[in-house]
Amino acid sequence: MDPVTLAVVRGGIEQIADEMDLHLIHAALSPIISETNDCANGFFHPETGETIAQGGYGLPQFLANMQFTVQRLIAIAAGQGGFRPGDIWIVNDPYVSGTHLNDIVMVSPYFVDGKLFALFANTGHWMDLGGSAPGGWVPKATEIYHEGITIPPLRLYAEGVRNDAVVAMLTANSRMPDQLLGDMAAMTNVFAVGRRGFDMLVERYGVAVLSDCVAEMLVRSEAEMRSYIADIPDGRYVFDDFFDNDGVSDTRLPIRLAVTVSGDSLEFDFTGTAPAARGPMNIADCTTRSMCFVALKHLFPDVPVNGGVFRPVRFVIPEGSILAAQRPSPVGGTTDVTQRVVAMVFGALGQAIPEIAPAAAFGTTGVVTVSGSRPDNGNYYVAVYPYPGGYGASRQSDGLVNGTPPGSMAKFMSIEMSEHRYPVRFGYYRIREGSGGAGARRGGCGTEYGIEMLADTLVSVLGDQVDSPPFGAMGGEAAAGNAIRFTLGGEDWVPPMRSKAEKVACQAGDMVHLASPGGGGFGIPAEREPGAVIADLNAGIIDPRTARDTYGVKGEVDRLVLDRPVYKRPRQELA
């Protein structure tokens, strides 16, 4: 294989996937795609379903998930006449495609001279597909039917002809049918971008050379991943954690991971994890596997994203557990469960490779859904706000402050756009001081913000990590946990499930206050350099008490309290 040709072909395929990402983000009507980037595009092997390449602008959460969806769809399509030119398949069944009902997966075949050469796939979050709460996040759901309409794998387009009956069924079940149609058009049309790019590659290199390059890309990625795994000391590394509750019963849900390293292969064994929750804190097995790969990508970022990376890894995920949901278990909490799987991998492998694995990042997306009718025109709206928060520190650096969720990378909607679209006003949006875990390397701070309602609204919150804050590593301290509070009619109220509340009726002037966790600290706090502690103090990341009592920096703090304008508050608040 000519290395120059291989590099150019690989770069070309990845560029096409990136272009599809950007087209979808720019064309989508809903802000959760256009602002939050809750989408993905990729190319897959026509026979094995393995990932060939995936765009870099969508969510890592779909890293392997689309591969497993495509692999399952190949078998389903084979029983229904196979793939035909002009077909576009659609599915959101979480037990087939993973994640939750709002994540729509579409798959389209790509033919060259009448022969199937590749499968294109994309994922996009649709804002509302029915269900008992707007937006699909239903903290009190006890079965999948509470969360929206399920789409089994079927042809949305058959040989280029749209199935309008399917479209009518979907729009009839959505609170925002026009937005759904816009996002559907964006997702289906972006396949033309992929076909145009592949047509140019085929014209330049031919099918034989491209096929050889794809095979070589997978082989080389597998070899690279195996080389990284081989550097991890052999052994079995176990880590335990828990979810606060499932939104229905206030009972902890244990999660356990044992990682076994043997030569150049890995096994992820989740035996000991809680059985399926009654509430929505469940995910499908393919999503669990995908999040393990996201964690590995964080640890070994140089490895390209394709199916070869997944070959050295085996899984044991107990059927019917919270990590291998089966019908009719609800899965709306997937946005939180997925983030914690990433942290579990860090916690387990941190015992083997502490020089690489970080402490835990904030592990709750804490999705806030604000919905209602606009007072000016009566149009229905659903606003979705996924948490930003703090990242865990590592041996190399402090944790990132106010980062996107490390498992999904979903962005926070811009305040200006949000206030323009919806009858809300942000009372504040700021760094949550002191929320990062202390350590020789400090965890990143989370974020706190308050959303004021300007009209009658319904607010739902689905989060976690109030009782189970992000852990520290190598002597580092845990971060501050999640915190949610409503101000209703001038009175403060904390939901009974603390970070989970469904359809809270709010009036104009009411607020929801949210404070995301920070990231865990790394290393013993007393070993942090005094200059770094003073810098944190000057930046408002820690307070004087933490500088004195946790880090042992005293004289410099006394002078700062007296001299710096940021500390001109009453002395009793700083003592």
Side-chain angles (χ1 to χ4, degrees), residues 312-557:
V313 183
R314 302 183 304 273
F315 290 90
V316 178
I317 309 173
E319 275 192 18
S321 68
I322 60 174
L323 302 181
Q326 297 176 317
R327 188 176 298 277
S329 292
V331 295
T334 182
T335 46
D336 263 56
V337 181
T338 49
Q339 308 306 317
R340 297 291 286 282
V341 172
V342 174
M344 294 295 291
V345 175
F346 291 167
L349 286 179
Q351 302 167 41
I353 45 174
E355 67 279 3
I356 296 176
F362 76 107
T364 175
T365 309
V367 176
V368 180
T369 305
V370 180
S371 61
S373 297
R374 290 182 58 102
D376 54 350
N377 57 23
N379 290 341
Y380 201 88
Y381 69 90
V382 178
V384 175
Y385 302 98
Y387 266 177
Y391 277 29
S394 68
R395 189 180 296 278
Q396 289 76 31
S397 66
D398 294 337
L400 178 68
V401 172
N402 188 39
T404 56
S408 77
M409 308 302 289
K411 298 180 180 178
F412 192 82
M413 194 188 312
S414 74
I415 293 174
E416 295 81 3
M417 191 280 296
S418 180
E419 293 182 339
H420 173 71
R421 278 180 177 256
Y422 312 119
V424 301
R425 179 167 54 217
F426 277 72
Y428 56 90
Y429 181 64
R430 61 200 181 208
I431 300 300
R432 185 185 181 190
E433 297 182 8
S435 56
R441 299 289 189 181
R442 171 197 35 78
C445 287
T447 307
E448 55 186 2
Y449 54 102
I451 305 175
E452 180 185 355
M453 312 306 152
L454 303 182
D456 290 350
T457 59
L458 293 177
V459 178
S460 295
V461 183
L462 183 50
D464 204 77
Q465 282 211 304
V466 176
D467 308 326
S468 51
F471 56 82
M474 303 300 290
E477 295 184 1
N482 194 5
I484 293 172
R485 172 175 54 90
F486 287 82
T487 301
L488 306 173
E491 299 291 332
D492 284 350
W493 174 74
V494 175
M497 296 290 175
R498 300 177 291 294
S499 61
K500 301 174 180 72
E502 181 176 321
K503 293 191 292 188
V504 178
C506 296
Q507 299 177 335
D510 291 345
M511 291 189 72
V512 57
H513 307 267
L514 306 120
S516 66
F522 188 99
I524 299 170
E527 296 178 358
R528 186 166 179 79
E529 295 180 0
V533 177
I534 297 302
D536 288 345
L537 189 60
N538 289 341
I541 290 176
I542 62 173
D543 59 22
R545 181 183 291 109
T546 301
R548 292 190 187 98
D549 299 345
T550 303
Y551 289 107
V553 178
K554 300 185 184 303
E556 295 89 340
V557 175

Side-chain angles (χ1 to χ4, degrees), residues 61-246:
Q61 184 166 331
F62 305 127
L63 175 70
N65 214 65
M66 287 201 298
Q67 170 173 313
F68 302 135
T69 303
V70 169
Q71 289 173 329
R72 290 169 175 174
L73 187 57
I74 287 174
I76 293 169
Q80 299 184 33
F83 295 105
R84 303 186 295 255
D87 284 355
I88 296 180
W89 287 72
I90 185 172
V91 60
N92 79 337
D93 185 335
Y95 316 108
V96 174
S97 61
T99 61
H100 59 158
L101 293 176
N102 295 79
D103 289 334
I104 307 297
V105 181
M106 294 188 186
V107 178
S108 181
Y110 175 74
F111 289 85
V112 178
D113 296 329
K115 184 177 180 181
L116 183 63
F117 180 77
L119 293 167
F120 298 171
N122 60 25
T123 301
H125 182 114
W126 290 2
M127 289 289 277
D128 188 85
L129 285 165
S132 62
W137 282 280
V138 187
K140 295 182 180 179
T142 56
E143 54 186 10
I144 191 70
Y145 312 109
H146 293 155
E147 297 177 328
I149 185 172
T150 300
I151 309 168
L154 51 82
R155 288 183 178 88
L156 178 64
Y157 282 77
E159 297 182 276
V161 179
R162 193 177 79 170
N163 189 333
D164 289 335
V166 170
V167 176
M169 178 189 66
L170 296 177
T171 55
N173 281 276
S174 176
R175 296 173 175 87
M176 296 183 296
D178 291 341
Q179 194 174 92
L180 182 153
L181 289 173
D183 291 345
M184 178 187 295
M187 290 179 66
T188 56
N189 291 337
V190 81
F191 288 127
V193 176
R195 287 193 295 271
R196 181 186 65 200
F198 263 67
D199 285 346
M200 295 173 63
L201 285 177
V202 170
E203 182 180 357
R204 181 175 181 182
Y205 293 103
V207 170
V209 171
L210 289 180
S211 297
D212 288 346
C213 287
V214 167
E216 185 68 13
M217 286 164 56
L218 298 179
V219 167
R220 293 193 179 198
S221 291
E222 178 184 0
E224 189 171 353
M225 177 56 78
R226 289 191 182 278
S227 72
Y228 282 121
I229 295 172
D231 289 338
I232 304 173
D234 283 2
R236 185 171 183 268
Y237 308 98
V238 181
F239 195 80
D240 291 275
D241 204 351
F242 65 91
F243 294 97
D244 297 347
N245 55 61
D246 66 1

